[in-house]
Amino acid sequence: MLTISNSVTLADWEIDISQIRAQGAGGQNVNKVASAVHLRFDIARSTLPPIYKERLMALSDQRISKEGVVIIKAQSFRTLELNKEDALNRLQALIQSVARTPKTRRPTKPTKGSQRRRVDHKTRKGKIKSLRGKVPLG
């Protein structure tokens, strides 16, 4: 069971975890032991609230397929247990990222004083730079 928030939890049947062999270079053990984890989570079949499902489907994350399946591959650690825990933590973080509603942006205008200070600063810098030219001889 994976806890997302106080009111939202995921049951074990919703998350499909399979063992695979880790990729990449390794020692004598890497080619014999399946210690990497492939986690699959179907958004549409899950018991998540509808707002979570909509936001997850709207995300442009490469871990979410077009069919709405979250696929996470964990192979950072040497043991299966740590890779499993890592994959579940990453799924939890992904779902929690859509749980918060983003703040709405309120358009603002710069104050008259700040505009005046900006223009004054620009003119001062321009005068300093104009003095950097070549010195006339004669």
Side-chain angles (χ1 to χ4, degrees), residues 76-129:
S76 304
F77 300 100
R78 291 182 64 166
T79 62
L80 179 70
E81 291 77 25
L82 286 175
N83 282 329
K84 217 181 257 192
E85 189 178 321
D86 180 39
L88 288 171
N89 288 341
R90 283 163 48 193
L91 175 67
Q92 184 180 24
L94 178 70
I95 297 172
Q96 285 175 345
S97 70
V98 298
R100 287 181 238 98
T101 55
K103 279 188 174 179
T104 55
R105 184 191 176 281
R106 290 196 203 107
T108 58
K109 289 167 95 175
T111 62
K112 288 281 186 193
S114 70
Q115 287 177 347
R116 200 173 299 114
R117 282 190 300 272
R118 183 180 139 268
V119 172
D120 290 344
H121 182 56
K122 282 176 69 131
T123 53
R124 265 187 274 124
K125 280 286 186 188
K127 285 177 186 172
I128 291 170
K129 287 184 176 188

